[in-house]
Amino acid sequence: MFFHIEAGTVRAVDGVTLSVQRGQAVGLVGESGCGKTITGMSVLGLLQPPGRIEGGRILFRGRTDSQTVDLAGLDPRGDQIRAIRGAEIAIVFQEPMTSLNPVYTVGDQIAEAVLVHRRVTRRDARDQAVEMLQRVGLPQPHRIAGEYPHQLSGGMRQRAMIAMALSCDPCLLIADEPTTALDVTVQAQILDLIARAQAERHMALLLITHDLGVVAHMAAAIAVMYLGTVVECGPRNAIFSSPLHPYTQALLRSVPVLGRRAKERLSPVRGTVPDPLAVPAGCPFAPRCPEQMEVCCVRPSLQEAEPGHQVACWLHG
């Protein structure tokens, strides 16, 4: 996914390989600006000009196993992607106030999503909206359905967004930093709500976050992104107990650990993320890597280092 601007070409996502199976939760982690959100938006065809998909495939298998669609090849404004967007693939953004329409009530917006994808009457859609608000744990769902987004707290708005996303029973839910702007108590409630909905519906979940604690709690598999590419992916236990890529190791060292001695300092990832208009040749992490070698001038590909555990690093190639 490239953005062609006057200053040059930004390769926002350039080499992402990952798979999310039905009933599986996959965490997509990395620093801000590494391309996580752009990856999620590309799946649904939500990229705005000057951004566009230059190549590759996004294969999606819907409710019928025999139907496999290349989402990257669909017209982002066509009927085929519109039928999938919201019905079979839903997304929850990190800030619901930018996603909910401020001039319509919460109930009307959820009902509208149902009407677009289901053959029901407006009254039935409204009843379903109230039911979904109740299922996500909002008190007095009839009253909440008649209120506007600005009348709700941040946690209530996020629950309403999840209710809208789940209203058409999607096969895949993309949760993009769903707890960033919430306090710790509400964060835990929202994460538990998403986990419960995923388990009950046997739904695939792509959880986009920079919080390693969240993926440790939610995801069975983890993909680590850096500067638009996946540098490591594998089972949760393998990523946390034996990370292979120096970037993954640096991320884990920078996380506060309960019980750490007071005099022990956190070890931040040294250096800064390069300018996306001047991505270094070869391994994108090489300028910040303590293990940099001469061969790093050639970009490594994602290879299986251990069963089910892949890494893009010459230390394991």
Side-chain angles (χ1 to χ4, degrees), residues 101-282:
N101 194 319
V103 300
Y104 291 98
T105 65
V106 169
D108 284 344
Q109 294 185 60
I110 299 175
E112 188 65 27
V114 175
L115 286 169
V116 169
H117 298 290
R118 296 284 186 268
R119 293 183 178 180
V120 296
T121 64
R122 184 166 292 277
R123 182 172 181 175
D124 288 340
R126 179 75 177 189
D127 290 342
Q128 187 170 337
V130 173
E131 180 185 349
M132 289 305 304
L133 291 172
Q134 184 177 20
R135 290 182 66 179
V136 298
L138 283 169
Q140 300 180 322
H142 285 279
R143 178 181 62 81
I144 298 295
E147 295 192 340
Y148 293 88
H150 72 273
Q151 295 177 290
L152 306 181
S153 68
M156 294 171 77
R157 284 195 295 266
Q158 195 63 285
R159 286 176 183 269
M161 276 295 300
I162 294 171
M164 186 184 301
L166 299 179
S167 61
C168 292
D169 195 21
C171 302
L172 168 64
L173 177 65
I174 301 172
D176 183 8
E177 303 276 12
T179 61
T180 297
L182 307 176
D183 62 60
V184 176
T185 303
V186 179
Q187 281 185 21
Q189 294 172 355
I190 295 297
L191 292 175
D192 287 342
L193 171 61
I194 293 174
R196 188 168 63 252
Q198 189 231 347
E200 290 173 354
R201 297 162 182 256
H202 197 59
M203 180 175 59
L205 172 65
L206 178 61
L207 179 63
I208 298 172
T209 182
H210 64 273
D211 191 331
L212 291 170
V214 170
V215 292
H217 172 66
M218 297 281 292
I222 298 172
V224 182
M225 279 191 74
Y226 181 76
L227 211 61
T229 185
V230 170
V231 296
E232 183 171 2
C233 62
R236 173 182 56 199
N237 291 341
I239 295 293
F240 278 95
S241 63
S242 56
L244 301 178
H245 199 282
Y247 178 59
T248 310
Q249 296 167 2
L251 286 179
L252 291 171
R253 285 196 300 268
S254 68
V255 177
V257 177
L258 188 65
R260 188 188 298 245
R261 294 179 181 177
K263 293 184 179 180
E264 291 184 29
R265 298 175 62 88
L266 290 177
S267 176
V269 184
R270 72 176 193 176
T272 58
V273 179
D275 185 341
L277 288 170
V279 177

